[in-house]
Amino acid sequence: MKNEMNLIIEQVKGVLDSALFLNGRALLWGNQMSLLGNVPELDSMAVMNVVSALELKFSITIEDDDINADVFATIETLTF
């Protein structure tokens, strides 16, 4: 189960890296990396790009009501 969670976290980092055009930076971040305020590329428009990319990658639908600052606090909160 832990390996599966680590794989998902790495995939989320990959989505962030691609959606924000970070050239590999996101792949080096720890799971507790604070996103909002620490990643200049992550502005309000970029959040929507990340959400769309996550929906596509994981074949999920994220409701608008589920998108908030708490979700984007860290890599881990974004994953779970």
Side-chain angles (χ1 to χ4, degrees):
M1 179 84 155
K2 186 176 180 180
N3 287 337
E4 185 176 325
M5 290 299 173
N6 287 337
L7 176 61
I8 293 170
I9 288 172
E10 292 305 312
Q11 291 174 331
V12 168
K13 288 179 186 179
V15 168
L16 282 168
D17 200 73
S18 294
L20 301 176
F21 305 100
L22 298 175
N23 299 317
R25 282 187 11 230
L27 305 175
L28 304 175
W29 295 341
N31 298 351
Q32 295 299 316
M33 166 72 178
S34 181
L35 297 174
L36 294 177
N38 283 333
V39 181
E41 295 87 352
L42 189 59
D43 59 20
S44 58
M45 289 302 294
V47 166
M48 297 315 299
N49 288 339
V50 170
V51 168
S52 295
L54 288 169
E55 289 178 324
L56 185 62
K57 172 73 176 177
F58 294 103
S59 300
I60 59 173
T61 300
I62 301 171
E63 300 296 329
D64 290 344
D65 293 343
D66 294 332
I67 302 168
N68 59 56
D70 291 337
V71 171
F72 278 86
T74 66
I75 300 279
E76 203 166 79
T77 59
L78 183 58
T79 302
F80 303 107

